[in-house]
Amino acid sequence: MARRPLIAGNWKMHLGPADADTFATELKRRFAGAEGVDLVVAPPAISIPAVASRLKHTGIDVAGQDLHPEPSGAYTGWVSGEMLKQAGAAYAIVGHSERRELAHEDDALIARKVKAAFRAGLIPIFCVGERLAERDAGRAEEVVLRQLGAGLQGLAPDLAVAVVIAYEPVWAIGTGRTATPEQAQAMHAVIRAFLAEAFPAWVAGQARILYGGSVKAGNARSLLDQPDIDGALVGGASLSADDFSAIVDAARGR
Ligand code: PGA
Protein backbone atom coordinates (compact mmCIF):
# COMPACT_ATOMS: atom_id res chain seq x y z
CA MET A 1 0.00 0.00 0.00
CA ALA A 2 1.48 3.33 -1.04
CA ARG A 3 2.06 5.82 1.74
CA ARG A 4 -0.02 8.94 1.32
CA PRO A 5 2.15 12.08 1.35
CA LEU A 6 1.70 14.49 4.24
CA ILE A 7 2.69 18.15 4.18
CA ALA A 8 2.67 19.93 7.53
CA GLY A 9 3.21 23.66 8.05
CA ASN A 10 4.76 24.72 11.35
CA TRP A 11 3.87 28.38 11.84
CA LYS A 12 6.03 28.64 14.98
CA MET A 13 5.44 31.92 16.84
CA HIS A 14 3.72 33.65 13.93
CA LEU A 15 0.09 34.59 13.31
CA GLY A 16 -2.12 35.46 16.27
CA PRO A 17 -5.82 34.54 16.13
CA ALA A 18 -6.96 37.28 13.74
CA ASP A 19 -4.03 36.94 11.30
CA ALA A 20 -4.20 33.14 11.52
CA ASP A 21 -7.87 33.23 10.61
CA THR A 22 -7.12 35.37 7.55
CA PHE A 23 -4.36 33.01 6.45
CA ALA A 24 -6.49 29.93 7.11
CA THR A 25 -9.21 31.43 4.93
CA GLU A 26 -6.69 31.61 2.07
CA LEU A 27 -5.56 28.03 2.68
CA LYS A 28 -9.18 26.90 2.68
CA ARG A 29 -9.73 28.61 -0.68
CA ARG A 30 -6.71 26.84 -2.17
CA PHE A 31 -6.81 23.41 -0.55
CA ALA A 32 -10.30 22.49 0.66
CA GLY A 33 -10.93 18.93 -0.46
CA ALA A 34 -7.41 18.56 -1.91
CA GLU A 35 -6.83 14.99 -2.99
CA GLY A 36 -3.74 12.81 -2.95
CA VAL A 37 -2.13 14.51 0.04
CA ASP A 38 -2.77 15.01 3.75
CA LEU A 39 -2.39 18.62 4.89
CA VAL A 40 -1.72 19.81 8.43
CA VAL A 41 -1.03 23.28 9.83
CA ALA A 42 0.39 23.98 13.29
CA PRO A 43 -0.57 27.47 14.48
CA PRO A 44 0.44 28.89 17.85
CA ALA A 45 -1.82 27.36 20.53
CA ILE A 46 -3.80 30.56 20.99
CA SER A 47 -4.75 30.59 17.30
CA ILE A 48 -5.86 26.94 17.12
CA PRO A 49 -9.58 27.54 17.84
CA ALA A 50 -9.86 30.15 15.08
CA VAL A 51 -7.94 28.05 12.55
CA ALA A 52 -9.68 24.78 13.45
CA SER A 53 -13.07 26.39 13.09
CA ARG A 54 -12.13 27.99 9.76
CA LEU A 55 -10.75 24.71 8.39
CA LYS A 56 -13.58 22.47 9.58
CA HIS A 57 -14.76 20.05 6.86
CA THR A 58 -11.94 21.12 4.50
CA GLY A 59 -9.81 18.02 5.11
CA ILE A 60 -6.96 20.25 6.34
CA ASP A 61 -6.01 19.20 9.87
CA VAL A 62 -4.65 21.30 12.70
CA ALA A 63 -1.72 20.46 15.00
CA GLY A 64 -0.42 21.80 18.27
CA GLN A 65 3.27 22.76 18.23
CA ASP A 66 3.86 21.15 21.63
CA LEU A 67 1.92 19.70 24.55
CA HIS A 68 2.44 19.15 28.27
CA PRO A 69 2.63 15.46 29.21
CA GLU A 70 -0.07 15.77 31.89
CA PRO A 71 -3.75 16.26 31.00
CA SER A 72 -4.21 19.13 33.50
CA GLY A 73 -2.71 20.51 36.69
CA ALA A 74 -0.72 23.31 38.27
CA TYR A 75 1.54 23.95 35.26
CA THR A 76 1.46 27.69 34.63
CA GLY A 77 1.75 28.61 30.99
CA TRP A 78 1.45 25.11 29.52
CA VAL A 79 -1.21 23.55 27.31
CA SER A 80 -2.19 19.86 27.45
CA GLY A 81 -3.01 17.50 24.62
CA GLU A 82 -6.57 17.22 25.89
CA MET A 83 -6.91 21.00 25.55
CA LEU A 84 -5.49 20.97 22.04
CA LYS A 85 -7.94 18.24 21.13
CA GLN A 86 -10.85 20.21 22.59
CA ALA A 87 -9.71 23.26 20.59
CA GLY A 88 -9.91 21.25 17.36
CA ALA A 89 -6.41 19.84 16.85
CA ALA A 90 -5.87 16.34 15.44
CA TYR A 91 -2.05 16.24 15.65
CA ALA A 92 0.69 17.53 17.95
CA ILE A 93 4.32 18.22 17.08
CA VAL A 94 6.57 16.63 19.71
CA GLY A 95 10.30 17.07 20.23
CA HIS A 96 10.89 19.88 17.76
CA SER A 97 14.57 20.88 17.91
CA GLU A 98 13.66 24.41 19.00
CA ARG A 99 12.04 22.87 22.07
CA ARG A 100 14.87 20.38 22.60
CA GLU A 101 17.33 23.29 22.52
CA LEU A 102 15.52 26.35 23.87
CA ALA A 103 13.22 24.62 26.36
CA HIS A 104 15.87 21.97 27.25
CA GLU A 105 13.54 19.05 26.48
CA ASP A 106 15.24 15.68 26.80
CA ASP A 107 14.44 12.27 25.31
CA ALA A 108 12.59 11.11 28.44
CA LEU A 109 10.24 14.09 28.48
CA ILE A 110 9.64 13.79 24.74
CA ALA A 111 8.76 10.09 25.14
CA ARG A 112 6.14 11.06 27.72
CA LYS A 113 4.75 13.64 25.30
CA VAL A 114 4.43 11.07 22.49
CA LYS A 115 2.30 8.91 24.79
CA ALA A 116 0.38 11.96 26.06
CA ALA A 117 -0.55 12.86 22.49
CA PHE A 118 -2.08 9.41 21.94
CA ARG A 119 -3.84 9.57 25.34
CA ALA A 120 -5.48 12.82 24.20
CA GLY A 121 -6.48 11.35 20.83
CA LEU A 122 -3.84 13.28 18.87
CA ILE A 123 -1.36 11.91 16.33
CA PRO A 124 2.19 12.85 17.28
CA ILE A 125 4.50 14.38 14.69
CA PHE A 126 7.68 13.24 16.37
CA CYS A 127 10.81 15.20 15.41
CA VAL A 128 14.33 13.81 15.42
CA GLY A 129 17.57 15.20 14.02
CA GLU A 130 21.23 15.77 14.71
CA ARG A 131 23.13 19.01 15.29
CA LEU A 132 25.85 20.12 12.89
CA ALA A 133 28.68 19.18 15.29
CA GLU A 134 27.17 15.71 15.64
CA ARG A 135 27.02 15.26 11.87
CA ASP A 136 30.57 16.55 11.45
CA ALA A 137 31.72 14.09 14.10
CA GLY A 138 30.11 11.22 12.16
CA ARG A 139 27.49 10.71 14.88
CA ALA A 140 24.32 11.72 12.99
CA GLU A 141 22.86 8.20 12.78
CA GLU A 142 23.72 7.37 16.36
CA VAL A 143 21.95 10.53 17.60
CA VAL A 144 18.84 9.96 15.49
CA LEU A 145 18.63 6.30 16.50
CA ARG A 146 18.93 7.26 20.18
CA GLN A 147 16.12 9.81 19.82
CA LEU A 148 13.93 7.30 17.95
CA GLY A 149 14.52 4.51 20.44
CA ALA A 150 13.61 6.75 23.35
CA GLY A 151 10.56 8.35 21.75
CA LEU A 152 8.99 5.14 20.45
CA GLN A 153 9.91 2.85 23.33
CA GLY A 154 7.07 0.70 24.57
CA LEU A 155 4.55 1.71 21.90
CA ALA A 156 2.30 -1.03 20.57
CA PRO A 157 2.74 -1.57 16.80
CA ASP A 158 -0.68 -0.07 15.99
CA LEU A 159 0.38 3.17 17.72
CA ALA A 160 3.95 3.14 16.40
CA VAL A 161 2.66 2.99 12.83
CA ALA A 162 0.49 6.06 13.43
CA VAL A 163 3.40 8.22 14.61
CA VAL A 164 4.47 10.65 11.91
CA ILE A 165 8.26 10.84 12.21
CA ALA A 166 9.93 14.05 11.05
CA TYR A 167 13.64 13.96 10.31
CA GLU A 168 14.87 17.51 10.76
CA PRO A 169 18.64 17.97 10.83
CA VAL A 170 19.10 20.92 13.20
CA TRP A 171 21.66 22.53 10.89
CA ALA A 172 19.06 22.76 8.12
CA ILE A 173 16.27 24.43 10.12
CA GLY A 174 15.72 28.07 9.29
CA THR A 175 19.23 28.27 7.85
CA GLY A 176 18.48 28.02 4.15
CA ARG A 177 20.89 25.07 4.14
CA THR A 178 18.84 22.02 3.14
CA ALA A 179 20.09 18.47 3.40
CA THR A 180 20.73 17.16 -0.09
CA PRO A 181 18.08 14.69 -1.29
CA GLU A 182 20.74 11.97 -0.94
CA GLN A 183 21.59 12.93 2.65
CA ALA A 184 17.92 13.07 3.59
CA GLN A 185 17.08 9.78 1.84
CA ALA A 186 20.00 8.05 3.55
CA MET A 187 18.75 9.04 7.00
CA HIS A 188 15.14 8.21 6.13
CA ALA A 189 16.29 4.73 5.12
CA VAL A 190 18.09 4.38 8.47
CA ILE A 191 14.90 5.42 10.27
CA ARG A 192 12.81 2.91 8.30
CA ALA A 193 15.32 0.17 9.02
CA PHE A 194 15.05 1.02 12.72
CA LEU A 195 11.26 0.66 12.53
CA ALA A 196 11.62 -2.69 10.76
CA GLU A 197 13.84 -3.95 13.55
CA ALA A 198 11.88 -2.54 16.50
CA PHE A 199 8.38 -3.43 15.28
CA PRO A 200 6.64 -5.95 12.99
CA ALA A 201 7.67 -5.39 9.36
CA TRP A 202 4.38 -3.81 8.28
CA VAL A 203 5.03 -0.86 10.62
CA ALA A 204 8.12 0.16 8.62
CA GLY A 205 6.19 -0.26 5.39
CA GLN A 206 3.31 1.97 6.42
CA ALA A 207 4.80 4.59 8.77
CA ARG A 208 5.27 8.04 7.29
CA ILE A 209 8.60 9.80 7.60
CA LEU A 210 8.73 13.53 6.75
CA TYR A 211 11.77 15.61 5.98
CA GLY A 212 12.07 19.09 7.50
CA GLY A 213 14.66 21.85 7.30
CA SER A 214 14.52 24.69 4.79
CA VAL A 215 12.04 22.92 2.51
CA LYS A 216 11.08 25.44 -0.20
CA ALA A 217 9.21 25.57 -3.47
CA GLY A 218 12.49 25.07 -5.32
CA ASN A 219 13.77 21.97 -3.51
CA ALA A 220 10.56 20.19 -2.48
CA ARG A 221 10.29 18.05 -5.58
CA SER A 222 13.78 16.60 -5.42
CA LEU A 223 13.33 15.76 -1.73
CA LEU A 224 9.83 14.30 -2.14
CA ASP A 225 11.02 12.16 -5.08
CA GLN A 226 13.13 10.10 -2.70
CA PRO A 227 11.62 6.68 -1.99
CA ASP A 228 11.61 6.97 1.81
CA ILE A 229 10.56 10.63 2.08
CA ASP A 230 6.79 10.70 2.56
CA GLY A 231 6.24 14.40 3.02
CA ALA A 232 7.61 17.55 4.59
CA LEU A 233 7.47 19.54 7.79
CA VAL A 234 7.75 23.11 6.57
CA GLY A 235 8.56 26.14 8.70
CA GLY A 236 9.30 29.45 6.99
CA ALA A 237 7.82 28.56 3.60
CA SER A 238 4.52 27.53 5.22
CA LEU A 239 3.81 31.19 6.01
CA SER A 240 3.49 32.05 2.32
CA ALA A 241 0.41 30.64 0.60
CA ASP A 242 2.23 30.57 -2.74
CA ASP A 243 5.30 28.79 -1.40
CA PHE A 244 3.21 26.33 0.60
CA SER A 245 1.08 25.63 -2.50
CA ALA A 246 4.15 24.86 -4.57
CA ILE A 247 5.31 22.36 -1.95
CA VAL A 248 1.86 20.76 -1.79
CA ASP A 249 1.84 20.49 -5.58
CA ALA A 250 5.24 18.81 -5.51
CA ALA A 251 3.84 16.22 -3.07
CA ARG A 252 0.74 15.59 -5.17
CA GLY A 253 2.68 15.27 -8.38
CA ARG A 254 5.19 12.82 -7.02
P1 PGA B 1 12.20 25.72 8.22
O1 PGA B 1 11.67 25.05 9.58
O2 PGA B 1 11.41 25.14 7.11
O3 PGA B 1 11.96 27.19 8.41
O4 PGA B 1 13.66 25.38 8.13
C1 PGA B 1 11.36 23.68 9.64
C2 PGA B 1 10.90 23.32 11.02
O5 PGA B 1 11.41 23.89 11.99
O6 PGA B 1 10.02 22.45 11.21
Side-chain angles (χ1 to χ4, degrees), residues 62-67 81 84 89-94 117 122-126:
V62 175
Q65 296 178 7
D66 179 41
L67 75 167
L84 295 171
Y91 291 79
I93 298 173
V94 176
L122 301 169
I123 296 170
I125 300 174
F126 168 47

Side-chain angles (χ1 to χ4, degrees), residues 13-63:
M13 201 169 74
H14 298 281
L15 303 177
D19 294 334
D21 185 44
T22 304
F23 191 56
T25 304
E26 176 61 17
L27 296 180
K28 177 177 178 172
R29 191 181 70 74
R30 292 180 185 235
F31 301 121
E35 282 173 14
V37 63
D38 287 341
L39 297 178
V40 178
V41 293
I46 198 167
S47 301
I48 288 177
V51 172
S53 129
R54 180 66 61 192
L55 296 180
K56 214 171 186 157
H57 307 308
T58 61
I60 308 169
D61 282 316
V62 175

Side-chain angles (χ1 to χ4, degrees), residues 13 61 74-75 95 101 105 123 146 155 158 165 176 184 238 240:
M13 201 169 74
D61 282 316
Y75 301 105
E101 299 279 327
E105 295 195 359
I123 296 170
R146 187 204 76 221
L155 286 186
D158 61 323
I165 296 170
S238 74
S240 151

